[in-house]
Amino acid sequence: PVVKHSSGVMDSFISNWHDAFNLPGKSRDVMPAYNLNYFFMEEEEIVFEMNESKLSFGDISFSMGTPIIQSPNHDLSFRTFVKIPTGNKTHLVGSGTSDFGFQITGMLNSTPERKQFSFYYSGGYLRIGKGALLENKVTRNVGFGSFGLAFNANDNWYLKSQLDFHTSLYEKSYTKQLGKASSQLVLGLDYFVAKDVAVSLAFVEDIIVNTAPDFVLQMGVSYQF
């Protein structure tokens, strides 16, 4: 993984997006545009601050999964993963912790015909190790999951809507940004260039305001073999 932090090059676009759809974004109204500054204050003292643009390697993860149920009506799999703190936590490109967890993922009507829906879901557990920034506030046990709908528009296009959520990552923090559970709405599509190759595009908006990135664009390419 490669991670880069930079100033708010999309600030004007995001502000106009919120204004056009009357979306909440109260914190954005009081923050300077085109600025990069992450900081955490406690009792009027800055505990951590990062305001430099960085391009670095992040944390490396290993995962493994196995199918439990495989049928045209229902697919169910079990996955496990381990993350190694190879990224620099003071540059915010890594967490500084060795983590592990597991996840159950499933899909109903996993091979939909044209003009049919499929439903997918997941739920998992994350155990966060020691060595994080704000170590005295970090949560050790985190639950996460998602569920969504996919619509087979034709042989090439799949339209998707998804809801992601996770419990608090810093349960001992009273800030909403760190100390509360979070949920995000994902809208996107898959375009199958070939039978086994898909290009994915998605837009993410925070449902619980100020608990997740305000505006996210995602793009991916996947190959099945």
Side-chain angles (χ1 to χ4, degrees):
V2 178
V3 183
K4 186 181 189 301
H5 295 279
S6 61
S7 59
V9 294
M10 294 184 66
D11 280 355
S12 295
F13 175 82
I14 296 173
S15 295
N16 293 335
W17 173 272
H18 281 75
D19 293 340
F21 294 95
N22 195 27
L23 299 174
K26 296 181 180 179
S27 296
R28 180 170 294 278
D29 296 336
V30 298
M31 293 181 181
Y34 310 110
N35 190 43
L36 171 65
N37 193 16
Y38 293 98
F39 67 92
F40 185 86
M41 295 184 67
E42 195 169 46
E43 296 180 356
E44 300 184 357
E45 292 187 7
I46 296 179
V47 178
F48 171 80
E49 184 173 18
M50 197 284 283
N51 52 24
E52 299 180 64
S53 179
K54 298 291 182 181
L55 175 64
S56 304
F57 288 103
D59 291 345
I60 295 177
S61 297
F62 300 92
S63 63
M64 181 172 62
T66 183
I68 300 174
I69 300 174
Q70 286 184 305
S71 74
N73 296 324
H74 190 195
D75 281 349
L76 185 67
S77 299
F78 176 81
R79 305 175 186 273
T80 184
F81 57 87
V82 175
K83 184 182 70 63
I84 300 173
T86 51
N88 189 323
K89 66 180 180 181
T90 60
H91 293 164
L92 297 184
V93 297
S95 69
T97 62
S98 296
D99 310 330
F100 69 89
F102 61 84
Q103 183 181 18
I104 294 289
T105 62
M107 176 176 284
L108 303 179
N109 192 20
S110 54
T111 55
E113 300 293 334
R114 183 179 294 191
K115 306 299 183 182
Q116 284 188 343
F117 285 93
S118 58
F119 172 77
Y120 55 94
Y121 61 91
S122 72
Y125 166 78
L126 169 67
R127 174 68 179 182
I128 298 178
K130 295 183 178 181
L133 289 172
L134 309 179
E135 175 70 17
N136 62 329
K137 299 183 183 301
V138 72
T139 306
R140 298 298 174 202
N141 304 297
V142 177
F144 63 92
S146 65
F147 57 89
L149 284 172
F151 178 70
N152 182 359
N154 55 45
D155 294 335
N156 298 102
W157 295 94
Y158 276 74
L159 307 179
K160 293 184 175 182
S161 63
Q162 180 173 313
L163 191 67
D164 296 337
F165 56 90
H166 65 77
T167 59
S168 168
L169 298 175
Y170 290 85
E171 62 183 359
K172 297 179 183 178
S173 171
Y174 293 105
T175 63
K176 186 176 183 180
Q177 288 82 354
L178 299 180
K180 301 297 182 182
S182 181
S183 182
Q184 306 90 42
L185 174 65
V186 186
L187 300 175
L189 56 86
D190 289 345
Y191 175 70
F192 282 84
V193 182
K195 182 179 179 181
D196 299 324
V197 181
V199 177
S200 301
L201 300 173
F203 157 73
V204 186
E205 179 71 23
D206 52 337
I207 298 298
I208 305 178
V209 180
N210 292 336
T211 64
D214 189 30
F215 187 93
V216 178
L217 295 175
Q218 294 179 335
M219 183 181 72
V221 178
S222 60
Y223 172 71
Q224 298 180 358
F225 58 91

